Amino acid sequence: MESTKTASLKQMSRGMTLLYIEDDTQARDAATSLFSELFNDVIVGVDGKDGARLYAAHHANIDLVITDITMPHMNGIELIHSIRHINPDVAIIVLSAHNEANYLAQTIEAGVDGYLLKPLSIAPMISTLGKVLEKIHLKRENTKSALLLKQYENITNTSSIISKTDPKGVITFVNDKFCQISGYKRDELIGKAHNIIRHPDMPKAAFRDLWRTIKDEKKTWQGIVKNRAKNGDTYYVKTTVQPILNPKGEVEEFISLRHDITAIMSDKKQLFDFLEANRLSVLILVQIEDYPILEKFYDKASVEKIEDAFGKNMLYLMPNRWGFQRVYHLGNGLYAFAIDRRNCKATKEEIYAVLEQFLANVKEYIVKIDSIEYDISAICSFTYGIFRIFEDAKIGIENAIQSKQPIVYADGLSGIEYDNALKNIETIHMIKTAIDNRKIISYFQPIVNNTTQKIEKYESLVRLVTEDGQLLTPFYFLETAKKGRYYSKITRIVLENSFAALYKIPEVSISINLSVHDIERDEITSYIEALLTQHSDEAHRIIFELLESEDIKDFFVIKKFIQTVKAKGVKIAIDDFGTGYSNFERLLSYEPDILKIDGSLIKNIHNNQVNQHIVETMILFAKKQRLTTVAEFVENEAIYEIVRDMGIDYSQGYHFGKPKLF
C-alpha cells in the first residue's frame, strides 16, 4: 500500500523543484538523499540566511520549500517571512523538533502548508507531502483555468457584443462593443429593459418565441435580430441567448452574445470598402426623385418592391460603356455606381452625356409590380475626386434636389460644406456661451386690436446677446441651433421667459412660437404641461403659434398636443398663414383659434392687388370658420387702414411698436 502511495507521490512531484533548508549536517544529508528520489531538483540551504539567498536567486523555479525552525543567522520563522515577501503563495512545509512547539503559533500565522516532525518518518512524510503536492496541483489547475477563462473572456469581449439581464429582461451588464454599436452609454442601458434597442420592424412573434425558449424551456435561442441604435440607425446581429441556471434549475440570469452582421447585409458598407480600396474612383449617385412623396403614396412594402425592381434594372438602363459590375442600394431611394478610375478615363463632359442618356432611359422605364405601375424619375450626381468623394456626391444629390437640376458634377462640394461647418461651429459656440451666461432673452412685440387700437397681446420673440453685446434675431442662430443639441434648450428658455412675462404684463395674452420639432420632442411637451399646471390661473392668456410645415412625422402627435393644451385654456394660432403648405383640411383638423397672415402678403398690400385678393380670400375663410385674424408686418398707417378696412381683427408691426424687453 505504501509503495502505491510512494509511486503516486513521485508522479505528483515529477518536474518539481524543492528548496530544503537544514543546519544539521547529518539530518540534512539523510533528508536530501530521500527528497532527491522524489523531486526532479533539490536545492539545499545550510541555514536560514543561506535559504533566503537561495530562494531569492531561484524563486521562479521553486515549487516547494521545506525548512527547519531553529537555525543560526536567521531562524525558520524569519526565513518564511522573507520568502512570503517574494511570493505569498509558494507552498511551505515546516520541519520541526518536538521541543519547538513554542513556534507553532508563529508558523500558523505565517500560513505554512504542512508540518513534518524530526526525525523524519517515511509514512508521515509521504502523507504530508502528498496533501501539499495535491494542493499545489489544484492551485496550478485553478490558475491555469482562471488564465484560460480570462483569455476566453477577452477574446469574446473583443469579438462579441455581450449583455446580461435579470430574469425579467432588465439589463445588468453590457460590454464596450454593445455600447459602441447601440450608441448608448453604459449608464443609459443598465437598469433598462432590453427593448430599448428593439427595432419596431421586428415581429412580436419572434420575441414570443425567444422568451418561450429561454424562459419556459430553459434552452438556448439563436436567430437574427434587427435592432435600432440611439441615433435611429438600423443594425443586424446574429444573436445567441443562453439562460444561466442555479443549482435548483431556476433561471438566475440571461447572457446574450451577438455578432454584427450589418456589413454582410449592407450595400453601403460594401461601397465604402470599394472606395477605400480604390482611392481613385468614379462615383455616381442616383436618387429617386420625389422619394418622400413615393413613401406617402404607397405602403412600406410596396415602396421596397419598387426600389428593389428599379435597383435590379439600373445596370440595363445605364449605358454601360465602362463596365459597371453592380449597383449599390443605399436605402431611401438612393443608389450608387462605382468603378476604378483606370477603367473609366472619361472626361466630365463624357460622363455627363452618359448620365443624360441614362436618365432618358429611366423616364421610359415603368416599374410594374402586382397591380402597381410607377413611372420612375431620377436625379444624379457624380465625382471622380480623390478625397471625400462619397461626401461630395451626396452633397451633389442634395444640391440637385434643391436646384431641380437632373445632373450635378459634385467634385469638391464637401470642401464648401466644410467651410459652412466651420461657420456652424462658431455659431454653436456663440449659442452655448449665450445659454451658459443667460443671454438668451425674450423681446415682446405688441399686437393691437384694429377696432380699439389697444394692445391686447404680445408676441414673445427670442433674441441672443453676444459676448460683445450685439443683439441678434433668430435669423442668425436658430437654424444652426436646430442642427445641434441646443435648440430644445433655447425653446425651454423662451417658454420660461414667456410665462414669467404673464406677471409683468397683466391682462394681456402672450403668444409663443412653437415648431413641429418642439412638439415632437417629449421633453418639451412635458415641460409645457408642467408650466401650464404651475401657472394654471393664467393659462388662458397663453397662445401657441404653430408654424405650418410639411415636415411633420406624425400628425397624431401634433393633434394630441393641441387637444391637451386647449383643454387647459390655451389658444392656438397658425403662424405665417399663406406661405406654407396651406392645406385647409389639415389646418381645420388642428382647430385653431387664430390665423396670423404672413407679412410677405401684408407689407406691400397697399400697392399689390394680387396680394389683396389672396388676403381677402383668407379673411373670408377665417370668418366662416369663426377664426380671429392677425396681420403681420403692419409698418405704416396706410397698411393699417387697408387691413382694418378689409376686416382683419388685429395688427402687429413697427407701426404700433418694435419688440421690447420687459
Side-chain angles (χ1 to χ4, degrees):
M1 186 73 176
E2 189 161 305
S3 61
T4 303
K5 288 185 177 180
T6 303
S8 176
L9 189 62
K10 286 182 178 180
Q11 182 70 25
M12 284 193 291
S13 60
R14 181 181 297 169
M16 287 190 176
T17 297
L18 167 69
L19 173 60
Y20 170 50
I21 306 102
E22 171 63 72
D23 66 311
D24 186 296
T25 303
Q26 187 176 354
R28 184 172 64 241
D29 291 343
T32 299
S33 176
L34 184 61
F35 291 144
S36 296
E37 294 182 13
L38 297 173
F39 293 93
N40 187 62
D41 190 15
V42 179
I43 302 172
V44 180
V46 298
D47 56 38
K49 188 175 182 180
D50 188 39
R53 178 186 63 79
L54 289 169
Y55 188 81
H58 303 283
H59 67 87
N61 300 317
I62 293 171
D63 304 290
L64 173 64
V65 177
I66 297 178
T67 180
D68 190 12
I69 292 292
T70 306
M71 293 183 294
H73 306 302
M74 178 187 286
N75 66 32
I77 300 300
E78 293 171 329
L79 172 61
I80 291 169
H81 285 304
S82 173
I83 291 171
R84 287 279 189 245
H85 182 71
I86 298 173
N87 184 356
D89 297 318
V90 68
I92 299 176
I93 295 175
V94 167
L95 190 60
S96 174
H98 287 286
N99 60 358
E100 295 172 334
N102 57 314
Y103 288 110
L104 182 61
Q106 294 180 59
T107 59
I108 292 172
E109 186 178 340
V112 300
D113 300 89
Y115 298 86
L116 290 172
L117 293 177
K118 293 180 179 180
L120 281 174
S121 298
I122 297 297
M125 183 193 74
I126 290 175
S127 176
T128 300
L129 279 176
K131 291 176 182 177
V132 173
L133 292 180
E134 185 177 2
K135 184 178 177 182
I136 291 171
H137 276 284
L138 287 173
K139 187 180 291 186
R140 284 182 174 178
E141 287 299 317
N142 287 339
T143 302
K144 183 180 178 181
S145 296
L147 181 61
L148 286 172
L149 186 61
K150 185 65 179 175
Q151 292 178 77
Y152 293 152
E153 182 182 335
N154 288 341
I155 194 169
T156 303
N157 259 320
T158 302
S159 62
S160 300
I161 302 157
I162 304 172
S163 69
K164 292 197 293 185
T165 72
D166 66 18
K168 294 182 179 179
V170 175
I171 298 171
T172 57
F173 168 83
V174 292
N175 69 345
D176 290 341
K177 287 186 74 66
F178 191 108
C179 296
Q180 290 167 9
I181 194 168
S182 70
Y184 288 94
K185 295 179 181 177
R186 191 169 273 103
D187 58 5
E188 293 177 310
L189 293 164
I190 303 299
K192 300 294 193 304
H194 229 295
N195 59 16
I196 189 173
I197 57 167
R198 181 183 299 176
H199 197 286
D201 288 353
M202 278 294 292
K204 293 180 179 179
F207 293 103
R208 284 196 295 267
D209 175 63
L210 185 154
W211 279 105
R212 184 183 70 253
T213 303
I214 64 174
K215 191 172 184 179
D216 300 336
E217 300 175 3
K218 299 176 183 177
K219 295 179 179 178
T220 301
W221 183 90
Q222 290 184 316
I224 304 296
V225 177
K226 185 178 182 181
N227 286 333
R228 184 163 62 181
K230 184 179 180 180
N231 65 359
D233 287 349
T234 297
Y235 63 96
Y236 296 84
V237 284
K238 186 176 181 180
T239 303
T240 301
V241 185
Q242 172 71 48
I244 306 300
L245 309 179
N246 62 22
K248 296 180 180 178
E250 300 166 334
V251 175
E252 198 74 29
E253 61 181 359
F254 300 106
I255 184 167
S256 300
L257 273 70
R258 306 168 186 80
H259 293 91
D260 182 13
I261 58 170
T262 308
I264 300 172
M265 308 174 77
S266 169
D267 276 17
K268 189 172 185 178
K269 176 65 168 60
Q270 294 179 51
L271 172 63
F272 284 178
D273 287 344
F274 176 87
L275 296 177
E276 180 67 25
N278 301 274
R279 291 301 183 95
L280 195 60
S281 300
V282 175
L283 176 65
I284 299 168
L285 292 187
V286 179
Q287 174 70 55
I288 295 178
E289 199 170 13
D290 298 325
Y291 182 78
I293 296 175
L294 175 66
E295 284 190 304
K296 290 178 183 177
F297 196 78
Y298 294 103
D299 62 86
K300 186 175 181 180
S302 297
V303 171
E304 288 180 354
K305 288 181 180 179
I306 291 170
E307 286 187 89
D308 289 343
F310 182 46
K312 289 174 181 176
N313 284 279
M314 285 177 69
L315 276 175
Y316 304 107
L317 298 171
M318 175 68 73
N320 206 349
R321 185 181 302 171
W322 305 296
F324 290 111
Q325 297 297 310
R326 62 168 297 182
V327 176
Y328 299 90
H329 186 184
L330 308 180
N332 297 320
L334 182 65
Y335 306 83
F337 293 92
I339 194 167
D340 191 319
R341 183 72 171 127
R342 289 171 295 185
N343 297 324
C344 176
K345 297 180 180 179
T347 64
K348 177 175 68 175
E349 290 73 21
E350 288 172 329
I351 295 175
Y352 197 100
V354 167
L355 291 181
E356 283 184 318
Q357 183 58 55
F358 167 71
L359 292 182
N361 294 343
V362 169
K363 282 187 178 180
E364 295 178 2
Y365 169 70
I366 298 175
V367 173
K368 295 181 180 180
I369 299 172
D370 302 328
S371 59
I372 297 173
E373 289 191 4
Y374 187 80
D375 294 327
I376 292 283
S377 177
I379 53 177
C380 301
S381 72
F382 71 97
T383 181
Y384 45 81
I386 300 174
F387 304 107
R388 301 170 62 86
I389 65 171
F390 180 80
E391 289 82 354
D392 282 351
K394 189 69 170 64
I395 294 167
I397 287 291
E398 292 169 4
N399 288 357
I401 293 171
Q402 293 172 5
S403 63
K404 303 296 183 183
Q405 296 180 59
I407 304 169
V408 168
Y409 173 57
D411 205 18
L413 289 182
S414 62
I416 298 170
E417 290 296 312
Y418 177 75
D419 292 339
N420 292 334
L422 289 179
K423 293 177 184 177
N424 287 338
I425 290 170
E426 292 172 1
T427 305
I428 286 290
H429 173 74
M430 178 183 70
I431 294 167
K432 181 181 183 303
T433 302
I435 290 172
D436 292 343
N437 296 328
R438 303 184 67 82
K439 292 297 184 181
I440 301 293
I441 60 177
S442 293
Y443 272 51
F444 296 87
Q445 185 171 32
I447 301 173
V448 172
N449 185 310
N450 281 341
T451 302
T452 65
Q453 293 196 20
K454 289 183 178 180
I455 298 172
E456 294 187 8
K457 316 174 197 295
Y458 282 92
E459 181 178 357
S460 176
L461 301 168
V462 66
R463 298 289 185 265
L464 184 151
V465 182
T466 65
E467 290 181 279
D468 58 2
Q470 292 184 65
L471 187 69
L472 301 183
T473 63
F475 172 82
Y476 295 98
F477 63 89
L478 205 56
E479 282 303 313
T480 302
K482 288 179 180 179
K483 299 172 186 175
R485 56 190 176 91
Y486 296 107
Y487 182 69
S488 293
K489 291 184 178 181
I490 292 174
T491 299
R492 287 176 68 97
I493 293 170
V494 169
L495 287 165
E496 182 182 327
N497 293 344
S498 302
F499 275 81
L502 289 170
Y503 303 95
K504 298 177 183 178
I505 321 171
E507 299 181 2
V508 299
S509 297
I510 301 294
S511 192
I512 307 167
N513 290 285
L514 287 180
S515 71
V516 169
H517 301 287
D518 292 321
I519 299 172
E520 289 177 340
R521 294 175 185 262
D522 291 339
E523 69 269 24
I524 295 298
T525 53
S526 297
Y527 186 58
I528 288 172
E529 290 184 31
L531 286 171
L532 291 173
T533 301
Q534 181 183 347
H535 304 280
S536 56
D537 292 341
E538 306 298 333
H540 65 282
R541 293 166 54 202
I542 291 292
I543 301 168
F544 286 134
E545 294 189 17
L546 308 183
L547 181 65
E548 286 189 283
S549 174
E550 293 181 76
D551 186 24
I552 297 176
K553 296 177 182 176
D554 191 338
F555 288 106
F556 176 75
V557 171
I558 309 299
K559 289 182 66 175
K560 183 181 177 183
F561 169 78
I562 292 171
Q563 291 167 359
T564 300
V565 297
K566 284 183 70 109
K568 296 179 183 291
V570 171
K571 291 183 175 60
I572 297 297
I574 301 298
D575 195 18
D576 293 344
F577 185 66
T579 59
Y581 192 50
S582 297
N583 184 319
F584 280 45
E585 183 180 358
R586 189 179 78 198
L587 183 147
L588 291 176
S589 72
Y590 289 164
E591 300 180 12
D593 305 286
I594 302 164
L595 289 186
K596 296 193 72 175
I597 301 172
D598 186 73
S600 63
L601 297 171
I602 298 297
K603 62 184 178 182
N604 59 358
I605 197 169
H606 54 297
N607 54 26
N608 188 315
Q609 195 171 27
V610 173
N611 282 7
Q612 286 186 32
H613 293 162
I614 293 171
V615 173
E616 284 170 355
T617 303
M618 292 179 180
I619 296 168
L620 181 63
F621 167 75
K623 289 188 181 300
K624 286 187 176 182
Q625 301 300 326
R626 294 189 176 90
L627 303 178
T628 301
T629 49
V630 179
E632 299 180 298
F633 275 73
V634 178
E635 306 296 289
N636 53 52
E637 183 71 20
I639 295 175
Y640 163 66
E641 289 177 355
I642 291 173
V643 299
R644 180 198 61 195
D645 294 344
M646 292 177 78
I648 296 176
D649 301 303
Y650 290 88
S651 290
Q652 177 181 349
Y654 277 23
H655 181 59
F656 292 102
K658 297 180 180 181
K660 59 184 178 179
L661 190 66
F662 283 104

